[in-house]
Amino acid sequence: MADFKDRLLAEKIVENIKKLASGKKFRFCHICGTHEYSITRHGLRSMLPENVEVVAGPGCPVCITPAAELDKAIKLANEGVILATFGDVVRVPGSSSSLAEARANGALVKIVYGPADAVDLAKNHPDKDVVFFATGFETTAPTTASVILSEPPKNFSSLVVHRTIPPAMEFMVGVGEHRFDGFIAPGHVSTIIGTKPYELFPRTYQMPTVVAGFEPTDVLMSILMLIKQIRDKDYKVENEYTRLVTEEGNPKALAAMDRAFETVGDNWRGIGRIPDSALHIREEYSDYDANKKYDIDIGKVQELDPKCSCHLVIVGKLYPKDCTMFAKACTPQRPRGPCMVSNEGTCSIAYRYGRD
Ligand code: SF4
């Protein structure tokens, strides 16, 4: 049963969804861990009619950070650098261990709120090398870029694993038999990139796209807007989250990202290489690129535990409860896959709030 403040409004939107969706099946995809939280936490799937389904795409940054990059961070930490990163990254399993295990064995792994804290660590420990393990999408990339552009101390560098959302959405368009009828685009990322990068989806793929906020009524309204576009055969990008998202996004943040990073193809955990989806430090700032500063030989990589189905969960092919290890061998206390670690991970959210 839903339990949030605009319940009457939500019920009204659901009534309209039922009327407009009647007689046809709809399958929508969101690409955002916070949307998955809102949908599961508030039981929205159980409010929707059976013919309207919403699945989670690869919108959890911790979940899609490749095992090879985690292995590199673990190796650097084990070799004596101060490895600084976000709290939810520390427990994510790499090929055979995690940063938490490295820390338990004496490595200097520090949890920080962002790269500026890592720079402070470098200033306070001039005798040590500090590496900031920079994960996340366009929401966290601008702060990493700003720090790289700010001439931090030479004992600071960053292992950058930033990925960008529109190429992942384009990848999802082609996920074969599990095709989607439209996208709920992520609110946080869109505050940075604006709505323009999504224009490709209706134009090229006739894929309606609605940028949505995170309140339950935002998500439900975005579903209604998507269904209306399909009923009207009027495919476009719409912005449900006008209180924070603009067409242009945040020009300063975009300019910083463009100066510090080049866009290249690279791997997403459980998916593989997605063209033009990764941000790498530009050559002119290579002094701050941990990949160039250190010779990081990590050996053989195991992308996922062979029994973990995260590669299916993150593309909407499997619900967490359908993984044989869910809530048995795999729990937030003992995660066997990356989707069970972060607050934005689909399996972790289902474990905590999986009402539907
Ligand atoms: Fe992987 Fe655990 Fe999720 Fe199964 S429940 S898909 S093992 S993270």
Side-chain angles (χ1 to χ4, degrees), residues 307-310 313 318 320 323-327 330-331 335-340 347:
K307 289 187 182 160
C308 170
S309 300
C310 273
V313 170
L318 193 86
C323 169
T324 53
M325 295 208 284
F326 178 73
C330 183
T331 64
R336 295 287 291 273
C339 307
M340 189 54 98
C347 297

Side-chain angles (χ1 to χ4, degrees), residues 38-181:
S38 184
I39 289 165
T40 306
R41 170 74 180 84
H42 297 292
L44 302 191
R45 287 194 177 93
S46 64
M47 294 177 75
L48 292 170
E50 272 184 11
N51 57 325
V52 177
E53 187 182 14
V54 182
V55 300
C60 157
V62 165
C63 308
I64 59 85
T65 297
E69 303 298 334
L70 284 154
D71 293 352
K72 284 186 202 171
I74 293 164
K75 184 145 204 278
L76 286 170
N78 283 333
E79 289 182 350
V81 310
I82 298 178
L83 196 292
T85 193
F86 301 114
D88 55 357
V89 175
V90 170
R91 293 178 57 246
V92 182
S95 290
S96 58
S97 67
S98 65
L99 284 166
E101 286 172 55
R103 183 171 58 183
N105 291 326
L108 290 172
V109 177
K110 302 282 186 192
I111 293 173
V112 291
Y113 288 110
D117 293 349
V119 170
D120 286 344
L121 279 170
K123 287 178 181 165
N124 294 334
H125 299 277
D127 54 325
K128 301 284 287 184
D129 276 6
V130 174
V131 176
F132 176 63
F133 187 36
T135 61
F137 301 129
E138 292 95 328
T139 37
T140 51
T143 50
T144 309
S146 301
V147 159
I148 288 167
L149 297 172
S150 71
E151 295 188 23
K154 293 292 182 196
N155 63 330
F156 170 88
S157 63
S158 185
L159 185 59
V160 169
V161 199
H162 289 306
R163 298 289 184 265
T164 55
I165 287 291
M169 291 169 67
E170 198 167 6
F171 166 83
M172 290 299 290
V173 173
V175 177
E177 73 278 21
H178 291 268
R179 71 172 301 278
F180 305 103
D181 300 301

